[in-house]
Amino acid sequence: MPSLKLLRGRINDHPVYAAVQRQSALGVFAARHVFAVWDFMSLLKRLQQELTCVIVPWTAPANPAAARLINEIVLGEESDETPTGFLSHYELYRRAMDEIGAPTVWIDDFLRRLQRGEPVSTALGNCGAPEAVVQFVETTFSILTEGSVHEIAAVFTLSREDLVPDMFVRVTTECAMFRGDYPHFFYYLDRHIEIDSGSHGPLAHRLLADLCGDNAERWQQAESAACRALTARLRLWDGVLAAIQDPTTELARPGQEAGRAPVLVPI
């Protein structure tokens, strides 16, 4: 597997950013990227489950410093103060998709299925999301279900919080012509550049360092998990770029169960 540094470089230099210079291309990007926005919250909430007490009766967390770090991040990600009130960052992004005119059928159908009790893997398979999206979310949930807490923290830190500012700077630069048209989208990007580089990223690094300590084996496992997640991100960006270049390569198929007709998604 390529190194952490190499994978991060390939993601930061990916041609997908230069490809989102049309409204239709930005819609293709957002329709797929929203799944990364959504599954980030599952990474965060799993860390909250592991490092704080979220059950009744309450007991004190074993590591109060780690609990404080993760709770501080949860506050901002799940209930941030925005110009339109308190919102999770997922809800903010979903509003931005409506603003852009990005297709929402995949993510909306996926979340409806989860609310009805379908497992994540089943909902992914049935909602019609593109293969690159399915692989990305399945990689995240594989790590969530099989990984140790320090591996999950590594994915959270090294493939999300520490990576996002550079990626989003690229997006805001390449899409600068849309800034006046899509205020929710740019608020989302600008907000993450600000808090992930200035607050959440450093907090996540402190958390990871606390969990791994001087244990070389844990650091090796952490890097391996992060590389898996970064490889999935790279494949996601490859899928987005392919869809922008040839929209006929991916058609959504939500509700393929018997008795339901395929739904063609405008991209």
Side-chain angles (χ1 to χ4, degrees):
M1 180 179 293
S3 70
L4 190 69
K5 182 178 180 180
L6 178 60
L7 286 166
R8 287 173 60 94
R10 290 171 65 184
I11 291 169
N12 287 331
D13 294 336
H14 201 283
V16 70
Y17 309 113
V20 289
Q21 295 186 351
R22 306 186 315 275
Q23 184 274 340
S24 60
L26 190 56
V28 169
F29 175 90
R32 291 152 177 81
H33 177 242
V34 67
F35 283 85
V37 176
W38 173 82
D39 81 352
F40 168 85
M41 288 303 301
S42 292
L43 283 167
L44 178 58
K45 299 304 282 188
R46 173 65 194 281
L47 288 172
Q48 190 179 34
Q49 289 176 340
E50 291 284 344
L51 299 171
T52 75
C53 183
V54 291
I55 61 172
V56 175
W58 178 86
T59 57
N63 187 333
R68 171 59 188 243
L69 291 174
I70 208 67
N71 279 333
E72 189 168 339
I73 296 174
V74 169
L75 176 65
E77 296 287 348
E78 195 170 36
S79 54
D80 201 8
E81 187 171 3
T82 77
T84 54
F86 295 108
L87 289 173
S88 71
H89 287 169
Y90 166 78
E91 292 170 299
L92 181 61
Y93 196 89
R94 180 59 182 76
R95 291 188 183 188
M97 291 178 70
D98 287 336
E99 187 176 69
I100 294 166
T104 62
V105 64
W106 296 325
I107 188 65
D108 290 350
D109 190 61
F110 172 66
L111 293 180
R112 280 194 296 268
R113 291 174 181 279
L114 292 183
Q115 290 167 352
R116 294 202 299 262
E118 286 188 23
V120 170
S121 59
T122 304
L124 278 172
N126 287 336
C127 76
E131 185 60 27
V133 168
V134 172
Q135 290 180 354
F136 182 88
V137 177
E138 285 183 341
T139 298
T140 300
F141 274 79
S142 173
I143 295 166
L144 280 173
T145 56
E146 300 168 7
S148 301
V149 64
H150 60 277
E151 293 172 304
I152 297 167
V155 171
F156 179 81
T157 302
L158 302 176
S159 76
R160 298 298 181 101
E161 294 286 30
D162 195 47
L163 183 71
V164 158
D166 288 340
M167 290 194 308
F168 285 1
V169 165
R170 289 293 310 278
V171 176
T172 57
T173 300
E174 298 292 350
C175 297
M177 71 289 289
F178 298 128
R179 183 170 283 277
D181 300 319
Y182 308 135
H184 282 89
F185 183 67
F186 279 90
Y187 181 85
Y188 172 88
L189 297 174
D190 291 341
R191 182 69 173 142
H192 279 79
I193 292 168
E194 174 192 4
I195 63 173
D196 288 354
S197 59
S199 174
H200 289 183
L203 287 174
H205 273 286
R206 284 170 55 192
L207 176 64
L208 180 60
D210 185 66
L211 292 173
C212 291
D214 296 326
N215 189 315
E217 183 179 7
R218 285 192 177 187
W219 279 111
Q220 185 177 21
Q221 292 168 343
E223 181 171 347
S224 178
C227 285
R228 281 184 62 197
L230 290 170
T231 299
R233 170 76 69 169
L234 193 58
R235 290 172 180 164
L236 177 64
W237 276 182
D238 289 343
V240 173
L241 182 63
I244 290 172
Q245 293 173 336
D246 182 6
T248 65
T249 60
E250 290 176 344
L251 301 177
R253 301 177 306 280
Q256 286 289 287
E257 305 97 320
R260 294 186 62 182
V263 178
L264 183 64
V265 178
I267 53 178

